[in-house]
Amino acid sequence: MLWRIIFPIAAPGVFTTAIMSFIAAWNEYLLSCTLNIDEKIQTVPVRLSYLKDQFTIFWSQISAATVVVVIPTLLIVLLFQKQIVAGIANGAVKE
């Protein structure tokens, strides 16, 4: 009985929070840059920032990697777009 009442009310907020947390963790730059020395556990934005030499920046590789990195986030947002909008709307102040 509790699940039939609380979960439908809380589901949009839970989905929105989960998706926003995923995007924040996916894009974490400062923590990964300062604390992670091992290349295997660094996040994608940190690895993209290393695609440069002393005199050149490899724009083609950065652009290709950025497109590949954005695809999972874009798919998640498109799949759960209805839940995200419902979660944001339910948290809004209503008059």
Side-chain angles (χ1 to χ4, degrees):
M1 180 171 153
L2 186 66
W3 288 104
R4 287 186 287 172
I5 296 171
I6 293 178
F7 188 70
I9 295 171
V14 171
F15 281 121
T16 303
T17 304
I19 292 168
M20 297 295 189
S21 297
F22 169 76
I23 292 171
W26 186 263
N27 291 327
E28 181 62 48
Y29 180 79
L30 187 61
L31 186 68
S32 180
C33 186
T34 56
L35 298 178
N36 293 339
I37 298 172
D38 190 12
E39 292 180 359
K40 295 177 184 175
I41 58 175
Q42 288 178 338
T43 58
V44 176
V46 174
R47 297 303 302 152
L48 286 177
S49 69
Y50 291 142
L51 287 176
K52 61 184 178 181
D53 278 344
Q54 184 176 359
F55 299 111
T56 59
I57 298 174
F58 303 112
W59 290 111
S60 59
Q61 285 118 351
I62 291 173
S63 300
T66 303
V67 169
V68 170
V69 168
V70 167
I71 289 173
T73 307
L74 185 64
L75 288 176
I76 288 173
V77 169
L78 289 176
L79 287 174
F80 296 109
Q81 182 177 7
K82 185 178 178 182
Q83 287 83 6
I84 292 172
V85 171
I88 293 171
N90 285 342
V93 177
K94 297 177 181 147
E95 294 184 27

